[in-house]
Amino acid sequence: MAAAVSAGLSSCGKFLEESSQDEIRPTSASDYRELIAGEIYAKANDDMPHEYLDVLTDDCDDLLTNARLGSDTRGSGFGYYTWQQSPEEQIAEVRNNDKSWGFYYHHILVANMVLYDIDRMKGTEQEKHLVKAEAYAIRGYAYFMLVNLYGEPYDPKTADTALGVPLNNLVGAENAKFTRESVAEIYRTITDDLNSSLDHFKASGTSNSIWRWNENAVNLLLARTYLYMHKWNDAIKSINNLLAVKADLWSLDEKAESSQADQYFICSQNPEIIFSYSYYYITYFAPGAKGGFPASENLRNTYEPGDLRCEGNNGQYIRLQGSTLFGNKKRHLHYKGGYSSDTGVHGYALRTAEAYLIRAEALAHTPEYADAVEDLNNLRSKRFSPEAYSPLSAGTQQEVIEAVRAERRREMCFEQLRWFDLRRWGRPSITHYYTPDINDTPQKYILEENDPAYTLPVPKAVLEMEPELQNIQRPVRNPA
């Protein structure tokens, strides 16, 4: 198999070969569910390959201080924070290894093998449908992440020619060359996989578990994909299907008055969680660090007084520590392996709050744009103290669109979606300041509007193995 899609693969490729006495070959649908648990969920919950995603955005600032004794964590993130031509390069001339490419192509290979083999396995039809449903969801999500990391941004006018990522339909270590498909083709693959997943979930007749891909989670991801494609009515339909089953929102005011007052927002008591997944790194966001990339003043200034998501020292999403803002709702996961006894869940979650925001954004682009405000107010009423809350009113269509975007930024901060949103909302210019040393003048770096650096390059380790793979041409980035 070509390096483009083989980087990061493990011994799971041997499952389709003749098994040895020391290997256990799956023989049933149950075995394949265990394989998925070990190769997909367990490994994802041990690691998060793209911890740099929020560092790329306007939600982070530079911090360097003598007031703390911790380490300066900024060096490894410098290339991403300043949008360098090769962002894997650290400031100390050491290379990070961007593992996201291999991580997600590994998921695709596992899904391919499962789908190829499952009908020959023992088990009931319902059990096989469940395995297929998860495999299609895993593969769809992998392509979604890959194309939004390494493919050009989706634009309906250019998607048929824009550079996407390679498609891998193989099930073993075959010697094949892969080329990038168009962005449109990758998105077609994603929607096909997610719709197939929904069909198989329905046929399986199983309930939803937040610990594995499930029907509600797939509906949310499908709606997110349609939103990126500007297929507004399809996004609304998927969200309606989801919210008809699960529409919970957690009132931050009620939380503050309950026994969960000191519990982190992402926890087992949160009724919004649809799918709990992955380990959350605090490398760049640790409040005790001498240097890091805390929440930006720009982000903080978008919150209104009385918004409990960012309210001084008690903010549920962003919390002041001294004079510095730190992301709070996910900062809890210090426990290696992604599960914390303090929270009962993993570090990231698909949540119903995003469902309301997706539907609001889709509605905002239709003649019924005023209806989007109802979804915004439904969410906002759960985020403010009662005395501070006041509902929004619909203005012009553009004003509603801007209100949805602002609310999405506030609600989804530090959930690794802001970079993708900026890519699809016109790729605005961003300015970051970086202070090399405590006595130095901060250096200014500018990501230009529509900058090619809104797309990440193929990781160097992959290009070293397959140099013919077409790469994104990013500019050299020096201080302004």
Side-chain angles (χ1 to χ4, degrees), residues 6 22 42 45 47 69 82 94 105 112 122 124 128 161 181 186-187 198 227 229 235 237 252 288 320 390 407 409 472:
S6 64
D22 297 327
N45 294 331
D47 205 359
L69 298 177
T82 60
V94 177
Y105 275 114
N112 287 351
K122 294 182 293 186
T124 67
K128 293 178 183 180
T161 56
E181 302 291 340
I186 299 301
Y187 271 82
L198 288 175
L227 188 75
M229 298 173 75
K237 180 180 178 181
L252 295 186
L320 279 171
S390 59
E407 199 62 46
R409 183 185 186 187
I472 296 293

Side-chain angles (χ1 to χ4, degrees), residues 141-179:
Y141 180 67
Y143 279 123
F144 176 88
M145 293 301 297
L146 285 165
V147 77
N148 280 286
L149 289 166
Y150 305 107
E152 295 181 285
Y154 188 98
D155 182 332
K157 300 183 185 68
T158 62
D160 285 327
T161 56
L163 206 60
V165 294
L167 279 174
N168 174 28
N169 296 317
L170 301 180
V171 295
E174 302 173 41
N175 185 18
K177 287 287 184 181
F178 291 87
T179 58

